[in-house]
Amino acid sequence: DAGVIQSPRHEVTEMGQEVTLRCKPISGHDYLFWYRQTMMRGLELLIYFNNNVPIDDSGMPEDRFSAKMPNASFSTLKIQPSEPRDSAVYFCASSFDRVDNEQFFGPGTRLTVL
Amino acid sequence: SQQGEEDPQALSIQEGENATMNCSYKTSINNLQWYRQNSGRGLVHLILIRSNEREKHSGRLRVTLDTSKKSSSLLITASQAADTASYFCATDGARLAFGKGNQVVVIP
């Protein structure tokens, strides 16, 4: 298996633009997680899905952030409009069977908002 | 929710030395996991220890768990330059809760 796949790996955009981050979880995994990592705040859970259904989105910073999982092999995290404070590394992770099982992380998307 | 807290937060050692880092948590757990993050990469699972286990080994890694003190330690023996990374503990519950990370620098 190729592991968790994220795209793009790097994204540089200007304030106000829409940003879409993509994730393909490991086949067969039924949990998908979106995290944000910054030096100041560390690793933050934004939202997680179980069987394509959002279960906990309490970590989503504000309405500018939205996430979808239209099928078991694809998820998106969208920021619209983007702001400089959204600059961070965004990770997608997946796990099998239980929400607290071992998580497999993707390589991350480094987002820079100018 | 529970959250692991690693201590110390930064550690610099010579290659070949041992590195020890600690993690404390607040509430009861079923298991505790340790992850490693190399610079610019995603987290990688290292080891899981269950609440009924006191010690677990994996290669050069040794993890201990003291549920009475709500703490865990990760020991890396005979460190190598490739061990330079951040190390996170994560506790189970409603979801995995990651600590802030513990940066280890191994000097060749």
Side-chain angles (χ1 to χ4, degrees):
Chain A
D1 199 315
V4 176
I5 299 172
Q6 290 187 248
S7 65
R9 293 294 309 278
H10 302 272
E11 177 82 30
V12 179
T13 190
E14 293 189 346
M15 183 173 62
Q17 296 297 306
E18 177 180 296
V19 174
T20 300
L21 312 181
R22 297 172 177 79
C23 174
K24 176 179 168 53
I26 292 173
S27 176
H29 282 194
D30 44 1
Y31 283 90
L32 183 139
F33 307 83
W34 281 102
Y35 292 90
R36 178 174 67 176
Q37 187 177 39
T38 62
M39 288 292 291
M40 291 296 293
R41 301 172 70 98
L43 191 67
E44 303 173 276
L45 176 66
L46 301 178
I47 185 172
Y48 77 87
F49 295 82
N50 177 220
N51 291 323
N52 313 337
V53 176
I55 302 301
D56 183 354
D57 65 354
S58 59
M60 295 286 262
E62 48 200 273
D63 291 345
R64 296 184 298 106
F65 286 69
S66 63
K68 294 182 180 179
M69 192 164 185
N71 57 62
S73 59
F74 184 65
S75 177
T76 60
L77 178 68
K78 186 176 293 187
I79 308 173
Q80 166 63 17
S82 58
E83 296 182 3
R85 59 191 167 125
D86 302 329
S87 296
V89 180
Y90 290 81
F91 288 102
C92 176
S94 68
S95 69
F96 173 69
D97 188 47
R98 288 172 56 97
V99 68
D100 53 2
N101 267 351
E102 174 187 350
Q103 291 185 14
F104 293 79
F105 281 73
T109 295
R110 182 173 295 276
L111 173 65
T112 303
V113 183
L114 303 174
Chain B
S1 62
Q2 340 165 345
Q3 183 168 17
E5 295 282 344
E6 294 87 357
D7 173 58
Q9 294 189 343
L11 184 64
S12 184
I13 58 174
Q14 294 288 330
E15 196 167 29
E17 292 181 340
N18 296 341
T20 300
M21 59 210 86
N22 301 307
C23 166
S24 60
Y25 55 92
K26 295 185 173 65
T27 59
S28 296
I29 61 171
N30 293 313
N31 67 66
L32 183 145
Q33 304 178 34
W34 284 92
Y35 288 76
R36 181 188 72 228
Q37 184 180 32
N38 292 98
S39 180
R41 297 282 194 76
L43 279 70
V44 174
H45 182 265
L46 293 177
I47 195 166
L48 179 152
I49 186 166
R50 302 198 184 281
S51 60
N52 62 354
E53 298 176 310
R54 290 295 168 261
E55 187 171 309
K56 199 163 183 179
H57 297 256
S58 176
R60 293 184 295 109
L61 304 179
R62 173 178 166 246
V63 170
T64 63
L65 180 64
D66 187 335
T67 53
S68 66
K69 295 181 179 178
K70 292 186 169 55
S71 68
S72 174
S73 68
L74 171 66
L75 167 68
I76 305 172
T77 60
S79 63
Q80 303 170 358
D83 295 326
T84 294
S86 292
Y87 292 83
F88 295 80
C89 67
T91 51
D92 69 333
R95 55 177 175 82
L96 267 189
F98 286 89
K100 291 184 171 62
N102 193 326
Q103 187 172 8
V104 175
V105 176
V106 180
I107 303 167

